[in-house]
mmCIF file of all heavy atoms in Angstrom:
data_model
loop_
_atom_site.group_PDB
_atom_site.id
_atom_site.type_symbol
_atom_site.label_atom_id
_atom_site.label_comp_id
_atom_site.label_asym_id
_atom_site.label_seq_id
_atom_site.Cartn_x
_atom_site.Cartn_y
_atom_site.Cartn_z
ATOM 1 N N MET A 1 -9.848 -9.060 -2.702
ATOM 2 C CA MET A 1 -9.382 -7.683 -2.444
ATOM 3 C C MET A 1 -8.373 -7.703 -1.293
ATOM 4 O O MET A 1 -8.757 -7.833 -0.135
ATOM 5 C CB MET A 1 -10.593 -6.806 -2.088
ATOM 6 C CG MET A 1 -10.255 -5.330 -2.084
ATOM 7 S SD MET A 1 -11.680 -4.340 -1.589
ATOM 8 C CE MET A 1 -12.769 -4.593 -2.982
ATOM 9 N N PRO A 2 -7.094 -7.605 -1.619
ATOM 10 C CA PRO A 2 -6.075 -7.800 -0.566
ATOM 11 C C PRO A 2 -5.810 -6.567 0.283
ATOM 12 O O PRO A 2 -4.682 -6.230 0.554
ATOM 13 C CB PRO A 2 -4.843 -8.191 -1.382
ATOM 14 C CG PRO A 2 -5.021 -7.468 -2.663
ATOM 15 C CD PRO A 2 -6.504 -7.406 -2.914
ATOM 16 N N ARG A 3 -6.912 -5.909 0.662
ATOM 17 C CA ARG A 3 -6.700 -4.772 1.543
ATOM 18 C C ARG A 3 -6.466 -5.301 2.957
ATOM 19 O O ARG A 3 -7.184 -6.180 3.420
ATOM 20 C CB ARG A 3 -7.912 -3.862 1.518
ATOM 21 C CG ARG A 3 -7.580 -2.488 2.088
ATOM 22 C CD ARG A 3 -8.572 -1.483 1.601
ATOM 23 N NE ARG A 3 -8.264 -0.182 2.172
ATOM 24 C CZ ARG A 3 -9.028 0.887 2.033
ATOM 25 N NH1 ARG A 3 -10.142 0.799 1.356
ATOM 26 N NH2 ARG A 3 -8.680 2.012 2.576
ATOM 27 N N VAL A 4 -5.466 -4.773 3.618
ATOM 28 C CA VAL A 4 -5.080 -5.296 4.928
ATOM 29 C C VAL A 4 -5.021 -4.169 5.953
ATOM 30 O O VAL A 4 -5.169 -2.993 5.619
ATOM 31 C CB VAL A 4 -3.706 -5.998 4.842
ATOM 32 C CG1 VAL A 4 -3.795 -7.218 3.920
ATOM 33 C CG2 VAL A 4 -2.634 -5.039 4.342
ATOM 34 N N ALA A 5 -4.791 -4.529 7.192
ATOM 35 C CA ALA A 5 -4.623 -3.517 8.242
ATOM 36 C C ALA A 5 -3.403 -2.666 7.917
ATOM 37 O O ALA A 5 -2.429 -3.169 7.357
ATOM 38 C CB ALA A 5 -4.457 -4.196 9.588
ATOM 39 N N PRO A 6 -3.442 -1.382 8.244
ATOM 40 C CA PRO A 6 -2.328 -0.494 7.906
ATOM 41 C C PRO A 6 -1.007 -0.971 8.505
ATOM 42 O O PRO A 6 -0.967 -1.508 9.612
ATOM 43 C CB PRO A 6 -2.737 0.852 8.528
ATOM 44 C CG PRO A 6 -4.193 0.762 8.766
ATOM 45 C CD PRO A 6 -4.512 -0.682 8.962
ATOM 46 N N PHE A 7 0.034 -0.785 7.749
ATOM 47 C CA PHE A 7 1.377 -1.096 8.249
ATOM 48 C C PHE A 7 2.357 -0.116 7.626
ATOM 49 O O PHE A 7 2.047 0.549 6.649
ATOM 50 C CB PHE A 7 1.764 -2.550 7.915
ATOM 51 C CG PHE A 7 1.821 -2.861 6.439
ATOM 52 C CD1 PHE A 7 3.035 -2.815 5.754
ATOM 53 C CD2 PHE A 7 0.667 -3.197 5.745
ATOM 54 C CE1 PHE A 7 3.098 -3.118 4.393
ATOM 55 C CE2 PHE A 7 0.718 -3.485 4.373
ATOM 56 C CZ PHE A 7 1.934 -3.441 3.708
ATOM 57 N N HIS A 8 3.520 -0.005 8.224
ATOM 58 C CA HIS A 8 4.508 0.936 7.700
ATOM 59 C C HIS A 8 5.913 0.445 8.018
ATOM 60 O O HIS A 8 6.104 -0.495 8.789
ATOM 61 C CB HIS A 8 4.276 2.337 8.273
ATOM 62 C CG HIS A 8 4.517 2.448 9.749
ATOM 63 N ND1 HIS A 8 3.618 1.987 10.667
ATOM 64 C CD2 HIS A 8 5.568 2.936 10.453
ATOM 65 C CE1 HIS A 8 4.094 2.213 11.890
ATOM 66 N NE2 HIS A 8 5.281 2.777 11.793
ATOM 67 N N SER A 9 6.870 1.117 7.413
ATOM 68 C CA SER A 9 8.272 0.782 7.643
ATOM 69 C C SER A 9 8.894 1.841 8.536
ATOM 70 O O SER A 9 8.637 3.024 8.361
ATOM 71 C CB SER A 9 9.012 0.733 6.308
ATOM 72 O OG SER A 9 10.410 0.675 6.529
ATOM 73 N N THR A 10 9.697 1.401 9.483
ATOM 74 C CA THR A 10 10.379 2.351 10.367
ATOM 75 C C THR A 10 11.741 2.741 9.808
ATOM 76 O O THR A 10 12.495 3.457 10.445
ATOM 77 C CB THR A 10 10.571 1.743 11.770
ATOM 78 O OG1 THR A 10 11.329 0.535 11.644
ATOM 79 C CG2 THR A 10 9.234 1.431 12.405
ATOM 80 N N ARG A 11 12.041 2.284 8.609
ATOM 81 C CA ARG A 11 13.329 2.612 8.006
ATOM 82 C C ARG A 11 13.448 4.125 7.803
ATOM 83 O O ARG A 11 12.500 4.754 7.327
ATOM 84 C CB ARG A 11 13.467 1.898 6.653
ATOM 85 C CG ARG A 11 14.886 1.900 6.113
ATOM 86 C CD ARG A 11 14.976 1.088 4.863
ATOM 87 N NE ARG A 11 14.235 1.726 3.768
ATOM 88 C CZ ARG A 11 14.258 1.304 2.514
ATOM 89 N NH1 ARG A 11 14.956 0.236 2.194
ATOM 90 N NH2 ARG A 11 13.573 1.915 1.585
ATOM 91 N N PRO A 12 14.580 4.725 8.143
ATOM 92 C CA PRO A 12 14.733 6.174 7.946
ATOM 93 C C PRO A 12 14.456 6.578 6.505
ATOM 94 O O PRO A 12 14.909 5.912 5.572
ATOM 95 C CB PRO A 12 16.208 6.408 8.298
ATOM 96 C CG PRO A 12 16.563 5.305 9.222
ATOM 97 C CD PRO A 12 15.748 4.112 8.749
ATOM 98 N N GLY A 13 13.701 7.666 6.329
ATOM 99 C CA GLY A 13 13.386 8.139 4.985
ATOM 100 C C GLY A 13 12.017 7.697 4.511
ATOM 101 O O GLY A 13 11.499 8.239 3.542
ATOM 102 N N GLU A 14 11.420 6.704 5.175
ATOM 103 C CA GLU A 14 10.076 6.258 4.787
ATOM 104 C C GLU A 14 9.055 7.286 5.265
ATOM 105 O O GLU A 14 9.102 7.726 6.408
ATOM 106 C CB GLU A 14 9.760 4.895 5.413
ATOM 107 C CG GLU A 14 10.650 3.770 4.908
ATOM 108 C CD GLU A 14 10.321 3.354 3.483
ATOM 109 O OE1 GLU A 14 9.248 3.722 2.981
ATOM 110 O OE2 GLU A 14 11.151 2.659 2.885
ATOM 111 N N THR A 15 8.140 7.687 4.382
ATOM 112 C CA THR A 15 7.214 8.763 4.730
ATOM 113 C C THR A 15 5.752 8.372 4.601
ATOM 114 O O THR A 15 4.869 9.206 4.810
ATOM 115 C CB THR A 15 7.460 9.982 3.815
ATOM 116 O OG1 THR A 15 7.304 9.577 2.465
ATOM 117 C CG2 THR A 15 8.852 10.541 4.020
ATOM 118 N N VAL A 16 5.463 7.128 4.212
ATOM 119 C CA VAL A 16 4.075 6.722 3.982
ATOM 120 C C VAL A 16 3.760 5.427 4.716
ATOM 121 O O VAL A 16 4.653 4.734 5.196
ATOM 122 C CB VAL A 16 3.801 6.521 2.478
ATOM 123 C CG1 VAL A 16 3.968 7.823 1.716
ATOM 124 C CG2 VAL A 16 4.698 5.434 1.907
ATOM 125 N N HIS A 17 2.457 5.108 4.780
ATOM 126 C CA HIS A 17 2.059 3.789 5.270
ATOM 127 C C HIS A 17 1.355 3.055 4.139
ATOM 128 O O HIS A 17 0.997 3.651 3.117
ATOM 129 C CB HIS A 17 1.159 3.894 6.511
ATOM 130 C CG HIS A 17 -0.270 4.281 6.232
ATOM 131 N ND1 HIS A 17 -0.713 5.582 6.211
ATOM 132 C CD2 HIS A 17 -1.363 3.513 5.953
ATOM 133 C CE1 HIS A 17 -2.000 5.614 5.948
ATOM 134 N NE2 HIS A 17 -2.432 4.372 5.777
ATOM 135 N N HIS A 18 1.166 1.770 4.301
ATOM 136 C CA HIS A 18 0.542 0.935 3.272
ATOM 137 C C HIS A 18 -0.663 0.213 3.863
ATOM 138 O O HIS A 18 -0.717 -0.039 5.064
ATOM 139 C CB HIS A 18 1.546 -0.107 2.755
ATOM 140 C CG HIS A 18 2.830 0.497 2.289
ATOM 141 N ND1 HIS A 18 3.037 0.900 0.993
ATOM 142 C CD2 HIS A 18 3.980 0.771 2.952
ATOM 143 C CE1 HIS A 18 4.266 1.406 0.879
ATOM 144 N NE2 HIS A 18 4.859 1.339 2.054
ATOM 145 N N ASP A 19 -1.618 -0.158 3.010
ATOM 146 C CA ASP A 19 -2.756 -0.951 3.492
ATOM 147 C C ASP A 19 -3.250 -1.912 2.416
ATOM 148 O O ASP A 19 -4.398 -2.327 2.431
ATOM 149 C CB ASP A 19 -3.887 -0.048 3.985
ATOM 150 C CG ASP A 19 -4.632 0.667 2.879
ATOM 151 O OD1 ASP A 19 -4.202 0.569 1.706
ATOM 152 O OD2 ASP A 19 -5.648 1.315 3.175
ATOM 153 N N ASN A 20 -2.343 -2.248 1.483
ATOM 154 C CA ASN A 20 -2.742 -3.194 0.431
ATOM 155 C C ASN A 20 -1.629 -4.210 0.232
ATOM 156 O O ASN A 20 -0.478 -3.839 -0.011
ATOM 157 C CB ASN A 20 -3.018 -2.437 -0.864
ATOM 158 C CG ASN A 20 -3.794 -3.279 -1.852
ATOM 159 O OD1 ASN A 20 -3.327 -4.346 -2.258
ATOM 160 N ND2 ASN A 20 -4.966 -2.836 -2.230
ATOM 161 N N SER A 21 -1.980 -5.488 0.343
ATOM 162 C CA SER A 21 -0.956 -6.535 0.279
ATOM 163 C C SER A 21 -0.415 -6.731 -1.128
ATOM 164 O O SER A 21 0.564 -7.441 -1.329
ATOM 165 C CB SER A 21 -1.522 -7.857 0.807
ATOM 166 O OG SER A 21 -2.591 -8.289 0.001
ATOM 167 N N ALA A 22 -1.047 -6.064 -2.131
ATOM 168 C CA ALA A 22 -0.553 -6.166 -3.501
ATOM 169 C C ALA A 22 0.459 -5.066 -3.810
ATOM 170 O O ALA A 22 1.025 -5.035 -4.899
ATOM 171 C CB ALA A 22 -1.711 -6.090 -4.485
ATOM 172 N N CYS A 23 0.687 -4.168 -2.858
ATOM 173 C CA CYS A 23 1.624 -3.066 -3.088
ATOM 174 C C CYS A 23 3.056 -3.585 -3.077
ATOM 175 O O CYS A 23 3.502 -4.176 -2.095
ATOM 176 C CB CYS A 23 1.441 -2.001 -2.003
ATOM 177 S SG CYS A 23 2.631 -0.657 -2.145
ATOM 178 N N THR A 24 3.773 -3.355 -4.174
ATOM 179 C CA THR A 24 5.148 -3.873 -4.243
ATOM 180 C C THR A 24 6.053 -3.165 -3.239
ATOM 181 O O THR A 24 6.954 -3.783 -2.682
ATOM 182 C CB THR A 24 5.710 -3.688 -5.660
ATOM 183 O OG1 THR A 24 5.489 -2.348 -6.085
ATOM 184 C CG2 THR A 24 5.041 -4.634 -6.628
ATOM 185 N N GLU A 25 5.804 -1.887 -3.024
ATOM 186 C CA GLU A 25 6.626 -1.162 -2.049
ATOM 187 C C GLU A 25 6.396 -1.715 -0.645
ATOM 188 O O GLU A 25 7.339 -1.904 0.123
ATOM 189 C CB GLU A 25 6.291 0.325 -2.074
ATOM 190 C CG GLU A 25 6.761 1.011 -3.340
ATOM 191 C CD GLU A 25 6.219 2.435 -3.434
ATOM 192 O OE1 GLU A 25 6.245 3.134 -2.410
ATOM 193 O OE2 GLU A 25 5.781 2.818 -4.521
ATOM 194 N N GLY A 26 5.127 -1.943 -0.332
ATOM 195 C CA GLY A 26 4.801 -2.502 0.979
ATOM 196 C C GLY A 26 5.393 -3.891 1.140
ATOM 197 O O GLY A 26 5.888 -4.250 2.211
ATOM 198 N N ASN A 27 5.368 -4.657 0.055
ATOM 199 C CA ASN A 27 5.895 -6.021 0.111
ATOM 200 C C ASN A 27 7.413 -6.043 0.237
ATOM 201 O O ASN A 27 7.989 -7.046 0.644
ATOM 202 C CB ASN A 27 5.481 -6.795 -1.144
ATOM 203 C CG ASN A 27 4.029 -7.210 -1.086
ATOM 204 O OD1 ASN A 27 3.463 -7.337 -0.011
ATOM 205 N ND2 ASN A 27 3.426 -7.418 -2.243
ATOM 206 N N ASN A 28 8.049 -4.943 -0.136
ATOM 207 C CA ASN A 28 9.510 -4.886 -0.079
ATOM 208 C C ASN A 28 10.040 -4.491 1.295
ATOM 209 O O ASN A 28 11.245 -4.493 1.510
ATOM 210 C CB ASN A 28 10.037 -3.894 -1.123
ATOM 211 C CG ASN A 28 10.054 -4.501 -2.510
ATOM 212 O OD1 ASN A 28 10.068 -5.717 -2.660
ATOM 213 N ND2 ASN A 28 10.060 -3.663 -3.528
ATOM 214 N N ILE A 29 9.137 -4.136 2.200
ATOM 215 C CA ILE A 29 9.589 -3.753 3.538
ATOM 216 C C ILE A 29 10.186 -4.964 4.236
ATOM 217 O O ILE A 29 9.575 -6.026 4.294
ATOM 218 C CB ILE A 29 8.414 -3.197 4.370
ATOM 219 C CG1 ILE A 29 7.862 -1.923 3.724
ATOM 220 C CG2 ILE A 29 8.883 -2.907 5.801
ATOM 221 C CD1 ILE A 29 6.633 -1.376 4.426
ATOM 222 N N GLU A 30 11.383 -4.792 4.722
ATOM 223 C CA GLU A 30 12.033 -5.893 5.430
ATOM 224 C C GLU A 30 11.373 -6.096 6.784
ATOM 225 O O GLU A 30 10.945 -5.140 7.434
ATOM 226 C CB GLU A 30 13.517 -5.576 5.616
ATOM 227 C CG GLU A 30 14.276 -5.549 4.301
ATOM 228 C CD GLU A 30 15.616 -4.846 4.453
ATOM 229 O OE1 GLU A 30 16.463 -5.380 5.156
ATOM 230 O OE2 GLU A 30 15.782 -3.763 3.882
ATOM 231 N N LYS A 31 11.297 -7.350 7.220
ATOM 232 C CA LYS A 31 10.616 -7.687 8.478
ATOM 233 C C LYS A 31 11.129 -6.845 9.644
ATOM 234 O O LYS A 31 10.382 -6.450 10.518
ATOM 235 C CB LYS A 31 10.824 -9.173 8.799
ATOM 236 C CG LYS A 31 9.782 -10.069 8.184
ATOM 237 C CD LYS A 31 9.588 -11.324 9.063
ATOM 238 C CE LYS A 31 8.400 -12.137 8.588
ATOM 239 N NZ LYS A 31 8.711 -12.941 7.410
ATOM 240 N N TYR A 32 12.421 -6.587 9.632
ATOM 241 C CA TYR A 32 13.049 -5.827 10.716
ATOM 242 C C TYR A 32 12.416 -4.449 10.884
ATOM 243 O O TYR A 32 12.323 -3.928 11.983
ATOM 244 C CB TYR A 32 14.547 -5.696 10.408
ATOM 245 C CG TYR A 32 15.303 -4.867 11.419
ATOM 246 C CD1 TYR A 32 15.715 -5.450 12.623
ATOM 247 C CD2 TYR A 32 15.593 -3.535 11.179
ATOM 248 C CE1 TYR A 32 16.407 -4.706 13.560
ATOM 249 C CE2 TYR A 32 16.289 -2.777 12.110
ATOM 250 C CZ TYR A 32 16.692 -3.365 13.299
ATOM 251 O OH TYR A 32 17.383 -2.631 14.213
ATOM 252 N N TYR A 33 11.983 -3.849 9.765
ATOM 253 C CA TYR A 33 11.432 -2.495 9.786
ATOM 254 C C TYR A 33 9.913 -2.472 9.821
ATOM 255 O O TYR A 33 9.317 -1.410 9.968
ATOM 256 C CB TYR A 33 11.883 -1.730 8.535
ATOM 257 C CG TYR A 33 13.353 -1.426 8.489
ATOM 258 C CD1 TYR A 33 14.163 -1.965 7.498
ATOM 259 C CD2 TYR A 33 13.935 -0.582 9.430
ATOM 260 C CE1 TYR A 33 15.513 -1.675 7.443
ATOM 261 C CE2 TYR A 33 15.286 -0.294 9.391
ATOM 262 C CZ TYR A 33 16.067 -0.833 8.390
ATOM 263 O OH TYR A 33 17.394 -0.546 8.333
ATOM 264 N N LEU A 34 9.279 -3.616 9.655
ATOM 265 C CA LEU A 34 7.827 -3.677 9.521
ATOM 266 C C LEU A 34 7.115 -3.451 10.851
ATOM 267 O O LEU A 34 7.402 -4.145 11.832
ATOM 268 C CB LEU A 34 7.448 -5.044 8.946
ATOM 269 C CG LEU A 34 6.014 -5.230 8.476
ATOM 270 C CD1 LEU A 34 5.661 -4.227 7.401
ATOM 271 C CD2 LEU A 34 5.838 -6.647 7.958
ATOM 272 N N LYS A 35 6.206 -2.460 10.867
ATOM 273 C CA LYS A 35 5.439 -2.178 12.079
ATOM 274 C C LYS A 35 3.970 -1.983 11.698
ATOM 275 O O LYS A 35 3.665 -1.462 10.630
ATOM 276 C CB LYS A 35 5.948 -0.892 12.735
ATOM 277 C CG LYS A 35 7.317 -1.040 13.383
ATOM 278 C CD LYS A 35 7.191 -1.667 14.761
ATOM 279 C CE LYS A 35 8.532 -1.713 15.491
ATOM 280 N NZ LYS A 35 9.491 -2.649 14.889
ATOM 281 N N PRO A 36 3.048 -2.441 12.584
ATOM 282 C CA PRO A 36 1.618 -2.230 12.303
ATOM 283 C C PRO A 36 1.213 -0.787 12.536
ATOM 284 O O PRO A 36 1.897 -0.054 13.256
ATOM 285 C CB PRO A 36 0.933 -3.156 13.302
ATOM 286 C CG PRO A 36 1.911 -3.298 14.429
ATOM 287 C CD PRO A 36 3.280 -3.181 13.816
ATOM 288 N N GLY A 37 0.106 -0.390 11.895
ATOM 289 C CA GLY A 37 -0.419 0.964 12.067
ATOM 290 C C GLY A 37 0.083 1.910 10.991
ATOM 291 O O GLY A 37 0.918 1.547 10.165
ATOM 292 N N THR A 38 -0.451 3.132 11.022
ATOM 293 C CA THR A 38 -0.094 4.105 9.994
ATOM 294 C C THR A 38 1.182 4.868 10.325
ATOM 295 O O THR A 38 1.794 5.473 9.448
ATOM 296 C CB THR A 38 -1.214 5.145 9.814
ATOM 297 O OG1 THR A 38 -1.309 5.924 11.004
ATOM 298 C CG2 THR A 38 -2.543 4.474 9.527
ATOM 299 N N GLY A 39 1.576 4.885 11.587
ATOM 300 C CA GLY A 39 2.736 5.661 11.989
ATOM 301 C C GLY A 39 2.485 7.147 11.835
ATOM 302 O O GLY A 39 3.422 7.931 11.829
ATOM 303 N N GLY A 40 1.195 7.536 11.678
ATOM 304 C CA GLY A 40 0.856 8.944 11.502
ATOM 305 C C GLY A 40 1.227 9.467 10.127
ATOM 306 O O GLY A 40 1.320 10.674 9.924
ATOM 307 N N ARG A 41 1.442 8.552 9.188
ATOM 308 C CA ARG A 41 1.884 8.946 7.842
ATOM 309 C C ARG A 41 0.752 8.829 6.839
ATOM 310 O O ARG A 41 -0.171 8.043 7.027
ATOM 311 C CB ARG A 41 3.030 8.034 7.409
ATOM 312 C CG ARG A 41 4.220 8.162 8.332
ATOM 313 C CD ARG A 41 5.170 7.032 8.102
ATOM 314 N NE ARG A 41 6.258 7.102 9.081
ATOM 315 C CZ ARG A 41 7.248 6.248 9.153
ATOM 316 N NH1 ARG A 41 7.318 5.253 8.331
ATOM 317 N NH2 ARG A 41 8.175 6.392 10.064
ATOM 318 N N PRO A 42 0.829 9.562 5.732
ATOM 319 C CA PRO A 42 -0.196 9.454 4.690
ATOM 320 C C PRO A 42 -0.099 8.113 3.965
ATOM 321 O O PRO A 42 0.941 7.441 4.026
ATOM 322 C CB PRO A 42 0.121 10.613 3.745
ATOM 323 C CG PRO A 42 1.562 10.917 3.976
ATOM 324 C CD PRO A 42 1.851 10.578 5.415
ATOM 325 N N LEU A 43 -1.196 7.755 3.305
ATOM 326 C CA LEU A 43 -1.244 6.489 2.583
ATOM 327 C C LEU A 43 -0.348 6.531 1.336
ATOM 328 O O LEU A 43 -0.317 7.524 0.614
ATOM 329 C CB LEU A 43 -2.695 6.199 2.187
ATOM 330 C CG LEU A 43 -2.944 4.916 1.390
ATOM 331 C CD1 LEU A 43 -2.547 3.682 2.204
ATOM 332 C CD2 LEU A 43 -4.403 4.823 0.994
ATOM 333 N N CYS A 44 0.333 5.453 1.107
ATOM 334 C CA CYS A 44 1.173 5.279 -0.076
ATOM 335 C C CYS A 44 0.348 5.441 -1.358
ATOM 336 O O CYS A 44 -0.778 4.951 -1.441
ATOM 337 C CB CYS A 44 1.770 3.877 0.023
ATOM 338 S SG CYS A 44 2.225 3.090 -1.502
ATOM 339 N N GLY A 45 0.879 6.152 -2.342
ATOM 340 C CA GLY A 45 0.150 6.399 -3.579
ATOM 341 C C GLY A 45 -0.193 5.133 -4.331
ATOM 342 O O GLY A 45 -1.258 5.011 -4.939
ATOM 343 N N HIS A 46 0.712 4.163 -4.308
ATOM 344 C CA HIS A 46 0.478 2.891 -4.985
ATOM 345 C C HIS A 46 -0.684 2.147 -4.322
ATOM 346 O O HIS A 46 -1.572 1.622 -4.996
ATOM 347 C CB HIS A 46 1.757 2.062 -4.953
ATOM 348 C CG HIS A 46 1.733 0.867 -5.856
ATOM 349 N ND1 HIS A 46 2.777 -0.037 -5.913
ATOM 350 C CD2 HIS A 46 0.807 0.427 -6.725
ATOM 351 C CE1 HIS A 46 2.469 -0.990 -6.785
ATOM 352 N NE2 HIS A 46 1.277 -0.733 -7.293
ATOM 353 N N CYS A 47 -0.691 2.139 -2.987
ATOM 354 C CA CYS A 47 -1.781 1.498 -2.250
ATOM 355 C C CYS A 47 -3.108 2.188 -2.550
ATOM 356 O O CYS A 47 -4.128 1.529 -2.748
ATOM 357 C CB CYS A 47 -1.524 1.568 -0.742
ATOM 358 S SG CYS A 47 -0.332 0.363 -0.142
ATOM 359 N N ALA A 48 -3.094 3.520 -2.577
ATOM 360 C CA ALA A 48 -4.318 4.282 -2.839
ATOM 361 C C ALA A 48 -4.886 3.901 -4.192
ATOM 362 O O ALA A 48 -6.100 3.750 -4.362
ATOM 363 C CB ALA A 48 -4.028 5.774 -2.785
ATOM 364 N N ARG A 49 -4.004 3.732 -5.181
ATOM 365 C CA ARG A 49 -4.436 3.369 -6.527
ATOM 366 C C ARG A 49 -5.029 1.957 -6.533
ATOM 367 O O ARG A 49 -6.092 1.710 -7.115
ATOM 368 C CB ARG A 49 -3.245 3.455 -7.486
ATOM 369 C CG ARG A 49 -3.603 3.750 -8.914
ATOM 370 C CD ARG A 49 -2.453 4.400 -9.667
ATOM 371 N NE ARG A 49 -1.174 3.752 -9.430
ATOM 372 C CZ ARG A 49 -0.091 4.392 -8.993
ATOM 373 N NH1 ARG A 49 -0.125 5.664 -8.723
ATOM 374 N NH2 ARG A 49 1.041 3.740 -8.822
ATOM 375 N N LEU A 50 -4.352 1.031 -5.865
ATOM 376 C CA LEU A 50 -4.855 -0.345 -5.792
ATOM 377 C C LEU A 50 -6.192 -0.392 -5.067
ATOM 378 O O LEU A 50 -7.124 -1.087 -5.504
ATOM 379 C CB LEU A 50 -3.837 -1.233 -5.070
ATOM 380 C CG LEU A 50 -2.526 -1.483 -5.809
ATOM 381 C CD1 LEU A 50 -1.497 -2.085 -4.863
ATOM 382 C CD2 LEU A 50 -2.756 -2.421 -6.978
ATOM 383 N N ASP A 51 -6.299 0.356 -3.954
ATOM 384 C CA ASP A 51 -7.545 0.381 -3.188
ATOM 385 C C ASP A 51 -8.685 0.919 -4.066
ATOM 386 O O ASP A 51 -9.799 0.393 -4.061
ATOM 387 C CB ASP A 51 -7.393 1.265 -1.954
ATOM 388 C CG ASP A 51 -6.413 0.688 -0.949
ATOM 389 O OD1 ASP A 51 -6.090 -0.513 -1.051
ATOM 390 O OD2 ASP A 51 -5.971 1.433 -0.063
ATOM 391 N N ALA A 52 -8.395 1.991 -4.814
ATOM 392 C CA ALA A 52 -9.407 2.622 -5.662
ATOM 393 C C ALA A 52 -9.873 1.681 -6.775
ATOM 394 O O ALA A 52 -11.009 1.743 -7.216
ATOM 395 C CB ALA A 52 -8.850 3.909 -6.267
ATOM 396 N N GLN A 53 -8.950 0.811 -7.207
ATOM 397 C CA GLN A 53 -9.288 -0.144 -8.273
ATOM 398 C C GLN A 53 -9.921 -1.409 -7.716
ATOM 399 O O GLN A 53 -10.274 -2.313 -8.463
ATOM 400 C CB GLN A 53 -8.013 -0.513 -9.050
ATOM 401 C CG GLN A 53 -7.436 0.638 -9.868
ATOM 402 C CD GLN A 53 -6.051 0.313 -10.428
ATOM 403 O OE1 GLN A 53 -5.493 -0.742 -10.130
ATOM 404 N NE2 GLN A 53 -5.502 1.208 -11.218
ATOM 405 N N GLY A 54 -10.010 -1.482 -6.387
ATOM 406 C CA GLY A 54 -10.584 -2.665 -5.768
ATOM 407 C C GLY A 54 -9.662 -3.871 -5.827
ATOM 408 O O GLY A 54 -10.117 -5.011 -5.785
ATOM 409 N N LYS A 55 -8.366 -3.614 -5.935
ATOM 410 C CA LYS A 55 -7.396 -4.708 -6.001
ATOM 411 C C LYS A 55 -6.719 -4.909 -4.636
ATOM 412 O O LYS A 55 -6.737 -4.016 -3.810
ATOM 413 C CB LYS A 55 -6.331 -4.407 -7.045
ATOM 414 C CG LYS A 55 -6.906 -4.481 -8.447
ATOM 415 C CD LYS A 55 -5.828 -4.232 -9.481
ATOM 416 C CE LYS A 55 -6.416 -4.277 -10.877
ATOM 417 N NZ LYS A 55 -5.463 -3.840 -11.898
HETATM 418 ZN ZN1 ZN B 1 1.838 0.915 -0.593
#
């Protein structure tokens, strides 16, 4: 179950955080923009789906 500590992108326009290493959107975040924590943002829908499926 690749659930990980919350992380988010600081890129302008990003509105969610991620917490699943299988999330393609989360995986596409460039290192330059990658920051730990939720950033006060809601969870990414893709991550929520993966988490709910236990993936
Ligand atoms: Zn995500």
